[in-house]
Structure formats: structure tokens, C-alpha cells
Amino acid sequence: MTDQENQATTGMPTTYDPKSAEKKWYKYWIDGQYFKAGQKPEAEPYTIVIPPPNVTGMLHIGHALDFTLQDILIRTKRMQGYDALWLPGSDHAGIATQTKVEQKLREQNISRHDLGREKFLEKVWEWKDQYAETIHEQWAKMGFSLDYSRERFTLDEGLSKAVREVFVKFYEKGLIYRGKKIINWDPAARTALSDIEVEYKEVNGHLYHLQYPLKDGSGHITVATTRPETMLGDTAVAVHPKDERYKDMIGKMLVLPIVGREIPIIADEYVEREFGSGAVKITPAHDPNDFEVGLRHDLPQIIVMDETGTMNDQAAKYEGMDRADCRKQIVQDLKDLGVLIKIEDHVHQVGHSERTGAVVEPYLSTQWFVKMQPLAERAIEAQKAGKGVRFVPDRFEKTYLNWIENVRDWCISRQLWWGHRIPAWYCESCGEIHVAHEDVTQCSKCGSTELTQDNDVLDTWFSSALWPFSTLGWPEQTADLERYYPTNVLVTGYDIIYFWVARMIFTALEFTGEIPFKDVLMHGLVRDSEGRKMSKSLGNGVDPLDVIEQYGADAMRYMISTSSTPGQDLRFRWERVEQARNFANKIWNASRFALMNLEGFTYDDIDISGELSTADRWILHRLNETSRDITRLIDAYEFGETGRLLYNFIWDDLCDWYIEFAKLSLYGDNVSAKKTTQSVLSYVLDRTLRMIHPFMPFISEEIWQHLPHEGETITLAAWPEYDPAFEDAEAAAEMSLLMDAIRAVRNIRAEVNVPMSKKIELMLKAGDEQVLQIVNRNEVYVQRFCNTSSFTAGLDLTTPDKAMTAVITGAELYLPLAGLIDIDQEIARLEKELQHLNSEVQRVEKKLANEGFVAKAPAKVIEEEKAKMADYSDKRSKVIARIEELRG
């Protein structure tokens, strides 16, 4: 039959074309508004808000994993009858986006200062619009079932209102304050950074040992530093108060080399006596720990470099030098003075800006902060009282609590133009600070109209922390907020548990009184096939659109989702994508076969209430088991195990066994049997496509639309539910026996190179009457799939002296040797099988002899092991007997 004839019969071409199907069906879903929530007001809501991607570029393979897992959940729940909302959106991504736009402008020799704030922001909005559209296109290509009618952006009007509300409320409660502290400073972008924007890299540096002389000439103290340029800002040397070496020096003055400034020796328990010399230099303006020591001892805070990393007027003769050049020069000068006594190689972690790559400077600066302890205490109390979120895997709860129990105040101001501008105004006349919901035009203290708004913007994570409830309309009490909040699950990577997950929890508890999501599903990173992190420098990144172009969206989705285990990194392997594509093709070919045998068959014709064959009953039983297990596993977020069960059911049970068995009645003359098989085949394929749909939405829709079906789209088709009526242990046992027999015969054929096309003589000796009845009822399957010239089954068969044999549970199979095998080869094969059975018997014996196992294992497990023991022993006895027969 030609491809045209095939397509005319089935409506489906010989091969599946992902590109045409994906474009067609996504448009169909969007036009039909099938992803829009709120169309089932009587149904229970189920909500996921998407972790908003940054509008800085293309989505990467990590996004593909994160969003595919969410889509699987939302599609499943939608089919289960929930009012399912998957709310899309994107993040303005402050420094990341501004850096990208500034880089683009630099290519034209333009700086943001050349444009001014307003014109520059126009350029950033143009960038945002361009990349938001790109993200939309990628979402569509990956088949994500998002409710675009509710899409949000972290700088849109509603979210801006929420941000101001939170800032003002925090400020009024004293939880937001402005102060001078050590923060992470990016000298290239000239802004404070959040902890997450700092990447620590291992650097081969040096440890410089310096001698600071005592003013009275009685000696010196040795200190060590990795950053000798900061010594210009030293205001003390600290020792431990109980360090006997220095007890007589505490309170004395040192002379700071080069600078000549007198600095005290102080005692502080921060110092580790056992580390190095037991004395440390204290630079309060350039080290966070030194800053705290300085506060305790009221030390001066001397900043020796400016916001660009250039040494300033406090740096003596080094003023105007870059910090790196200053280090080289100061090291030489210290050598010349004789106070640099040793330089050691030293490997240490150095913070770098995630966006610019510049070495981050711990820097004393006036910034806005959130006071974290009161917020953290409420979140900790909720979690420990069992009213917090459920982490999957649960080990991440400890990670979360460990961070939030030791949290520091959060620096929320950024020296940028792109973002939520801080709603604070300063009176030029009296210095009063005004924080308000609306722009302030007059000072409430002195009446002056000379007010200036703070130039800084808020950390991106400040608005992101409100995402689960601000996207639903808060601070307004909207219908969506009432219906869809709290959300059901947050799906995200474990790498941002501190910086985003924790912040969403404490802000939600503070402003809504509820946790923002019931579950937090943590997935790992997508690494390359060698387990390395994907990066531009290694050139090992994977663009999800490249994968889709080559293999189709369904193959990518299935591979990446079913390769994942909660909390674990996964390796991206192209061969696994190819396997997923082959799996999709297997489903396609099986469906084409079904449709070729369902011509003229309609949905109303489906009737599985009549007399069913063993194979029919078995496949309905297996479908029922699979749908039950798949539902349980998806609810447990076990996508890898879900994928394995789906694959085994579709590839093995449905395609390799049931469809082959079904051909007997489909090609036979019994009209009633044929119609029954058509009904079962149609029913099972329909339900199978529904189960695979959340993973492979495009191919499942394409096939389902050709099958006899009811409804507009598989997206809204009911999820296959477990039905006790389909439980059929008897059919399962019968099919197990038949499949074992067929496999055994095929294995023997393969061993002795007897092709399936050659008919064979087959004898089956049943272990009991029940087995014999099963074989007799299903004799047609044995004859067809073993391709027998003659088949004899009985309880007391006279077995041939010379025959190939196989032992299966409940029966022995014999293939007379005439013209088939070499007897010596058959003895060798049986001896090999005997070795295997001996090994299995010994393994189970050892297990059952283990007192610890017997004491702890459930009774059911112990009984299963005993049953295995009996089965292996029975098979071993029969193999031994057969070897003796052949040798005799």
C-alpha cells in the first residue's frame, strides 16, 4: 500500500511530522482558549505560577525542564477536572537586563548617561518587548498550556502597586531602614548586588604576611592578608582576649606601614587563636566581619577606593590607581620597607559579579535594608508547627531552615535605573525622608516643595518575592486572589531556595497570612553528558529550540522530564532524545495500525461489555493498573518512574503483545470477535493517549483527533481513572504464562538460529490441570506466535529423549531435536541455565537466612521471597532432570 493509500485509509501519513503538527495544534489550543482558567466555577482550583524568566534573552534547557514539569502537572490536573490555572509572566531582572542594554549601547559608543534616565528606560522597554515576544514564541514551540489572559510582568502597573504597598508597610513597621553597611559592590556596574548575583570562583592568589611595628618600639605583630591594598584602610589589629601571647599588648598602638597612622591592638572573640599568627588586621570599610568588629569597638571606617574600584584620596600616594595596580605597587613598597616578610601561594574563593564578571568588592555604603529577623521568626514558627510548605525532596526543608535561621538583613537598593524606583523622597530643605504610596510633592515637616526621589531601584528579588500573590491582584482583594491563592506547587531549581523561595514564604506570611504554595518541588540542574555544568566558556550549552528542530517538542519534553528525579541533577544526552523520538514513532505506528483496522468504526460503536478474549481482558487490566500507578506517581512528582511505566506499558504491553494478539481477531472471520477487539483497541489507545498527553501533547492530540473520540480536544478529555471492574488477576496470570511460553520458544529459536518463518513441533507439559486449561483455552496464540507445525499439551506427556527444553513457571516446553540442534550445545545451554538458577537459589536462601531481614521486612515481602525460592528450586530440579535425560 502506498503512503497516499495509507493516509486515505487512516487519515495519517506513514511518518509523523512534528513541525506541522506542533504549529497547527498550538494555534488550535490558543484559539479555543482551552488553557484559560475560570471556565469550571464549580471545580476545585489548582494553581501554578510560573517562575518568571528574565527578559534578558532566550530560554535555556534548564527553563525547558522547569516549565515542562509544570506543564505536565497542569495538563494532568486540567484533565482530572480541576479548574487549572498556570499563570505566565516574566521578570524585569534589574541588573541583568540593564547590563545587556548598556552593552548594546556601548557598541554604538553611547552610555546610559548620554541618554539620560528617561531615554535610557525607553531603550530598555524596547528590549523587554522584543525578548518577551521571543519567550512567547519559545513557550509556544514547547507546547506550554499557559493562560495568557492572566500574564504578568514584574514592572506592570498592578505589580508596581504591590511593590509600593509592601515597601511602605515594611517601612511603617520599622522593617525597612536606610543605613550604612558593608555590601557586595560591583565596581563595573557600580551597584550593590544581592548574594545570588555573586559567583564564587576558586582563584590562585597569595597570602601576604606583614609586620606592623609597635609605636613604643618594643616589637611588632604579624598579620596576613590576601588583599594588601586594603591595609590602607586598617583601623586596628585584633587578637583573642585569652591569647597569652598578646595579653600585654592589648591597648598598645601600632604604626601602620606606609601610611604612618597609629592604630590600636584590640581584643575580640571573633579572632581564631589557632589560625595563623592569631592576629588579624581590621578594615571596617572593606570587610563584613571587620565591619562588625569595628562597630563593637567604635573604630573609624576608612573607605580607600571609590565606586569604580579606583583608589581614592584616603589611599595616600596610591590615589587614582586601579585596585589591581595598587596591589602590585603596594606589595613592592612593603618589600622595600622590609615589612613584607613572606608571600605564600594561596587558593581561595573570590566573589565575582554574575553579570559583569568583575571581582566583587565588600564595600561600606549607604543602602536600604529589610530587617529579616522578625520575618524569619514567623516563617520558622510556621514551618516547625507543620503549617509551612512541603519540600520535595524533604531534605531541602533542612536547607531552607538552616538559611532562614541564620539570615542577615537584606540589602534591597540597587544603583540602577531599570526597576522599581524606591518610593522615598528627600527634603532638600530639612533632610526629612518621606516614604509613601503616591509621589510626594511637599515636605510634611517643613512644607518645602524641594523634594528629590531616591535615584536607586529595588533589588529584582523584592518584586519577585511577591510573585505568587501580586500576580493574582494583591493588594486588591480580587476574585482570582480569592479563588487561586494559595497556589498548589512551586517548581524551581534547588539553586535559588534561599534567594527566592524563602523570600516568597516570609513576604506571603506577612501580607496574606498564608503560605504562598503548598508544595515546593525542587529539581536539579541540567548538565552535559559528562556531568559538567553548561556554560558559554565550555560551549556545552543546549538550546531547546535546536532539540525541537531536530527531534520535535514531544521528544524533548519526554526525555527531559522523565530523566529527572526530584532534587537531582540530570545529564542531557542526545541519544536519549533520539530514544524518545523513537518512542513517539512507535506510538504513531501503533496508532496507524489501529486506524487501518477501525475504518468505519465510531466512538458510539465502542462496546467492551461483551465476551472478551484473554488478551482483551489482560490489556484492560494492565491499562487500569498503569493509570492508577501513573496518577499516583505524578502526584508524588516522580516523573522518571512515570516515564518508565508509560514506556513499558506502551512499547511492551500494548504494541509488542496486545496489538500482535489482536491481529488474530482483526484479520479473522468472526465478526463479533473483530468488533470486540476493535472496541478494546480503540478504548485502550484512547486512554493511553490521554496518559501520554501531558508529556507529549502534540502527537497525542494529532492521533486522538483521528481516533474515534468524543470532545473537541484531548486537552480537555477526562483523565483515565482506576476502575476496580477492570482488575483481572486471572487474565494477568494467563497472559503471563502465555508470554513466558512464547518468549521461551523464541529464545530457543534464537539460540539455535531457527528463523521464525520455519515451523516447529512443540510440546508443553503442564504442571497441573489449571495450567493445562489455560493453555488449551489460548492454544491459538501459542500456535500463531510460536509458528508450530504441531502442538501438543498435556499433564503426562511422553517427552522425547532428544529435544530442546525450556522451563517456565507451571510448565515445561519441548522442541524435538530432529533437524534443530546439536545435543552437546543443548547440554551446555542447560548447564549455563543451571548455574543461573543455583545462583538465584543461593541468593534467596541467604536473604531468608538473614535474621535482620526477616525481623524487619513486611510479612508480604518475606512470603514473596519464599515463593521465589520455591519457583527457582522447582525450575532447577527440572533442568537437572533434563540434563540427565540428554546425557543418558
Side-chain angles (χ1 to χ4, degrees):
M1 187 180 289
T2 66
D3 187 52
Q4 288 78 10
E5 291 171 327
N6 262 324
Q7 190 164 350
T9 302
T10 65
M12 295 168 59
T14 305
T15 56
Y16 173 59
D17 177 19
K19 290 179 184 176
S20 62
E22 289 163 10
K23 188 174 182 180
K24 174 179 66 178
W25 291 119
Y26 202 76
K27 184 179 186 303
Y28 177 77
W29 294 329
I30 295 298
D31 290 347
Q33 298 188 347
Y34 299 126
F35 305 152
K36 189 173 182 179
Q39 300 182 72
K40 297 179 179 178
E42 74 292 345
E44 183 180 344
Y46 183 91
T47 316
I48 300 175
V49 291
I50 202 168
N54 296 344
V55 287
T56 50
M58 308 284 277
L59 300 180
H60 52 66
I61 199 70
H63 288 117
L65 168 64
D66 192 78
F67 299 162
T68 298
L69 297 182
Q70 293 169 65
D71 197 32
I72 290 168
L73 292 171
I74 214 75
R75 285 182 181 271
T76 302
K77 294 301 176 182
R78 190 182 290 120
M79 295 174 77
Q80 288 174 340
Y82 288 82
D83 178 13
L85 167 61
W86 188 15
L87 190 148
S90 52
D91 197 316
H92 67 280
I95 187 172
T97 305
Q98 179 160 320
T99 301
K100 292 278 189 182
V101 177
E102 287 195 78
Q103 287 172 352
K104 187 178 178 183
L105 289 173
R106 274 197 295 272
E107 294 170 6
Q108 306 165 46
N109 294 318
I110 301 172
S111 76
R112 61 174 160 134
H113 301 285
D114 295 332
L115 294 175
R117 188 170 194 140
E118 189 175 330
K119 290 289 186 183
F120 175 73
L121 290 178
E122 287 177 8
K123 293 289 184 185
V124 189
W125 277 105
E126 288 173 10
W127 173 282
K128 177 265 173 187
D129 290 341
Q130 176 189 345
Y131 279 94
E133 183 58 32
T134 299
I135 289 169
H136 268 233
E137 291 171 1
Q138 290 179 292
W139 281 341
K141 285 183 178 293
M142 290 187 250
F144 298 146
S145 58
L146 296 152
D147 182 351
Y148 292 105
S149 71
R150 290 174 166 85
E151 185 173 4
R152 305 306 298 267
F153 177 55
T154 50
L155 275 178
D156 68 27
E157 185 178 347
L159 271 66
S160 295
K161 184 176 181 180
V163 166
R164 278 210 178 183
E165 177 73 12
V166 169
F167 190 97
V168 172
K169 286 287 176 60
F170 270 157
Y171 184 77
E172 291 172 349
K173 287 185 175 184
L175 294 173
I176 278 183
Y177 64 93
R178 192 167 183 256
K180 205 171 188 180
K181 286 191 174 187
I182 292 280
I183 46 88
N184 300 309
W185 184 264
D186 182 339
R190 302 187 199 183
T191 182
L193 300 175
S194 68
D195 291 338
I196 197 172
E197 291 163 330
V198 179
E199 291 182 333
Y200 286 89
K201 301 177 183 178
E202 199 170 80
V203 172
N204 294 317
H206 298 93
L207 193 60
Y208 303 89
H209 296 262
L210 312 176
Q211 286 184 342
Y212 287 8
L214 285 156
K215 180 186 175 184
D216 61 12
S218 62
H220 61 263
I221 280 186
T222 300
V223 297
T225 180
T226 59
R227 306 174 67 223
E229 68 278 9
T230 64
M231 68 166 288
L232 302 170
D234 287 358
T235 55
V237 166
V239 297
H240 195 278
K242 295 182 179 178
D243 194 328
E244 292 294 324
R245 292 171 294 178
Y246 301 114
K247 65 178 182 179
D248 295 331
M249 292 187 183
I250 296 169
K252 288 189 175 185
M253 301 301 288
L254 296 164
V255 178
L256 186 62
I258 297 177
V259 182
R261 185 168 63 246
E262 294 181 11
I263 59 175
I265 299 172
I266 61 172
D268 196 284
E269 292 188 349
Y270 155 70
V271 181
E272 296 180 39
R273 280 179 287 179
E274 297 77 17
F275 185 77
S277 68
V280 294
K281 58 192 283 300
I282 302 298
T283 320
H286 291 277
D287 182 277
N289 295 316
D290 292 3
F291 175 77
E292 297 297 333
V293 173
L295 290 180
R296 288 196 290 272
H297 297 272
D298 197 26
L299 297 175
Q301 300 165 339
I302 302 174
I303 301 172
V304 298
M305 62 184 75
D306 66 18
E307 295 175 351
T308 67
T310 302
M311 308 309 291
N312 63 15
D313 58 2
Q314 294 293 317
K317 65 180 183 178
Y318 306 103
E319 181 180 359
M321 294 181 71
D322 177 76
R323 55 185 173 158
D325 294 332
C326 175
R327 178 179 299 183
K328 293 176 186 176
Q329 186 60 54
I330 208 167
V331 166
Q332 185 59 52
D333 291 347
L334 291 166
K335 282 181 181 177
D336 294 342
L337 287 171
V339 297
L340 176 57
I341 59 170
K342 183 168 62 171
I343 302 176
E344 291 181 306
D345 290 337
H346 181 64
V347 178
H348 60 135
Q349 297 286 325
V350 176
H352 291 71
S353 170
E354 183 186 46
R355 302 304 173 187
T356 66
V359 173
V360 169
E361 189 68 40
Y363 194 68
L364 183 62
S365 178
T366 300
Q367 303 285 344
W368 288 90
F369 296 88
V370 173
K371 193 179 292 183
M372 287 300 303
Q373 188 175 355
L375 299 168
E377 286 173 352
R378 183 170 182 178
I380 293 165
E381 182 183 349
Q383 198 68 27
K384 291 188 173 180
K387 297 177 182 178
V389 302
R390 181 173 77 102
F391 286 89
V392 181
D394 59 8
R395 68 176 183 273
F396 286 105
E397 180 179 33
K398 185 177 180 181
T399 305
Y400 160 73
L401 284 172
N402 182 61
W403 180 78
I404 206 166
E405 285 171 348
N406 297 282
V407 70
R408 297 187 302 174
D409 285 359
W410 173 18
C411 175
I412 56 172
S413 46
R414 298 290 179 269
Q415 289 63 55
L416 304 170
W417 288 352
W418 175 243
H420 292 278
R421 195 166 176 181
I422 290 175
W425 287 261
Y426 307 102
C427 178
E428 301 290 342
S429 301
C430 70
E432 183 73 3
I433 300 176
H434 301 268
V435 170
H437 293 93
E438 304 297 333
D439 292 1
V440 180
T441 57
Q442 187 173 20
C443 178
S444 59
K445 185 176 181 181
C446 71
S448 172
T449 56
E450 298 295 317
L451 289 99
T452 304
Q453 186 175 358
D454 196 307
N455 278 316
D456 292 351
V457 299
L458 289 164
D459 178 12
T460 299
W461 298 99
F462 192 91
S463 52
S464 298
L466 320 181
W467 187 251
F469 53 94
S470 64
T471 51
L472 294 168
W474 188 93
E476 305 299 328
Q477 294 303 306
T478 64
D480 273 3
L481 184 67
E482 183 179 354
R483 179 158 178 76
Y484 298 110
Y485 183 84
T487 67
N488 290 78
V489 61
L490 173 76
V491 181
T492 190
Y494 60 67
D495 52 333
I496 56 173
I497 187 170
Y498 308 141
F499 312 108
W500 189 42
V501 178
R503 287 169 177 166
M504 284 190 285
I505 293 171
F506 71 67
T507 52
L509 286 170
E510 179 69 19
F511 290 100
T512 72
E514 298 181 272
I515 54 173
F517 21 72
K518 297 179 180 73
D519 292 349
V520 178
L521 171 60
M522 312 300 297
H523 61 73
L525 304 177
V526 183
R527 299 183 177 272
D528 71 8
S529 59
E530 297 176 29
R532 301 174 301 177
K533 189 175 180 179
M534 292 184 179
S535 68
K536 288 181 180 179
S537 59
L538 290 174
N540 61 347
V542 175
D543 184 340
L545 296 192
D546 290 343
V547 184
I548 291 170
E549 177 68 23
Q550 190 170 350
Y551 292 102
D554 289 325
M556 185 205 70
R557 288 170 57 108
Y558 187 82
M559 182 284 298
I560 202 166
S561 61
T562 61
S563 298
S564 71
T565 301
Q568 300 295 318
D569 291 347
L570 66 92
R571 296 190 180 191
F572 182 93
R573 291 187 170 92
W574 283 100
E575 59 269 26
R576 291 209 63 180
V577 188
E578 189 169 350
Q579 289 168 5
R581 192 267 314 274
N582 294 343
F583 181 42
N585 288 341
K586 183 81 168 181
I587 298 169
W588 181 262
N589 292 332
S591 302
R592 282 185 62 254
F593 165 80
L595 284 164
M596 288 172 67
N597 290 278
L598 292 173
E599 192 174 359
F601 194 83
T602 69
Y603 185 81
D604 291 336
D605 292 329
I606 296 175
D607 180 6
I608 53 176
S609 62
E611 186 176 349
L612 303 174
S613 69
T614 299
D616 292 335
R617 290 162 50 213
W618 168 74
I619 197 63
L620 290 169
H621 168 80
R622 286 291 300 121
L623 172 72
N624 198 42
E625 281 188 323
T626 304
S627 65
R628 176 197 64 200
D629 294 341
I630 295 298
T631 302
R632 173 179 55 80
L633 290 167
I634 289 177
D635 284 344
Y637 309 117
E638 293 288 353
F639 301 106
E641 185 65 9
T642 303
R644 186 187 69 80
L645 289 189
L646 277 171
Y647 187 94
N648 290 345
F649 172 74
I650 294 171
W651 194 289
D652 296 337
D653 296 346
L654 179 58
C655 297
D656 286 358
W657 287 106
Y658 179 71
I659 285 179
E660 292 303 312
F661 278 37
K663 288 177 181 177
L664 293 180
S665 54
L666 290 174
Y667 297 162
D669 298 327
N670 188 323
V671 175
S672 176
K674 179 177 181 178
K675 186 171 182 181
T676 298
T677 299
Q678 286 177 316
S679 292
V680 172
L681 182 58
S682 183
Y683 180 87
V684 171
L685 190 53
D686 170 86
R687 267 59 181 180
T688 301
L689 290 170
R690 297 185 197 198
M691 287 192 294
I692 202 71
H693 175 71
F695 296 83
M696 294 181 163
F698 293 113
I699 195 170
S700 56
E701 182 77 87
E702 178 73 21
I703 297 170
W704 190 81
Q705 292 287 352
H706 287 95
L707 280 179
H709 68 272
E710 187 176 51
E712 297 175 15
T713 172
I714 195 172
T715 297
L716 302 182
W719 182 256
E721 298 289 346
Y722 172 77
D723 185 347
F726 286 131
E727 277 296 310
D728 199 329
E730 183 181 9
E734 289 191 19
M735 279 296 292
S736 179
L737 175 65
L738 295 173
M739 291 188 293
D740 281 351
I742 293 166
R743 284 194 198 98
V745 171
R746 287 175 175 174
N747 288 340
I748 291 173
R749 281 179 175 274
E751 283 188 33
V752 294
N753 296 317
V754 176
M756 282 301 299
S757 58
K758 182 176 181 179
K759 290 188 177 294
I760 59 165
E761 184 180 347
L762 177 63
M763 303 174 72
L764 185 148
K765 184 177 181 181
D768 55 43
E769 184 63 34
Q770 185 180 7
V771 170
L772 182 60
Q773 288 178 14
I774 292 172
V775 172
N776 288 335
R777 279 199 303 271
N778 298 281
E779 181 179 338
V780 63
Y781 295 133
V782 178
Q783 291 179 327
R784 167 65 180 81
F785 294 105
C786 294
N787 194 17
T788 60
S789 56
S790 67
F791 174 59
T792 307
L795 293 172
D796 299 310
L797 292 179
T798 303
T799 56
D801 292 333
K802 308 293 183 183
M804 290 287 286
T805 62
V807 178
I808 63 172
T809 302
E812 298 170 56
L813 298 166
Y814 301 93
L815 279 72
L817 293 176
L820 283 182
I821 66 158
D822 180 289
I823 293 177
D824 291 338
Q825 283 183 353
E826 171 62 359
I827 291 173
R829 185 188 71 79
L830 286 170
E831 286 178 337
K832 187 175 180 181
E833 185 175 347
L834 180 61
Q835 284 181 350
H836 168 72
L837 290 168
N838 282 335
S839 175
E840 290 300 315
V841 168
Q842 289 170 9
R843 181 182 65 79
V844 179
E845 279 179 342
K846 189 175 180 182
K847 205 169 188 179
L848 291 172
N850 184 329
E851 293 180 3
F853 169 76
V854 174
K856 294 178 182 177
K860 182 182 177 183
V861 173
I862 294 172
E863 288 306 312
E864 287 173 353
E865 291 300 319
K866 288 180 178 178
K868 287 180 188 177
M869 182 70 178
D871 187 39
Y872 290 140
S873 298
D874 180 51
K875 288 177 181 176
R876 182 173 66 173
S877 299
K878 290 172 180 175
V879 168
I880 291 170
R882 191 60 188 150
I883 291 172
E884 290 174 354
E885 284 177 20
L886 287 173
R887 283 179 173 159

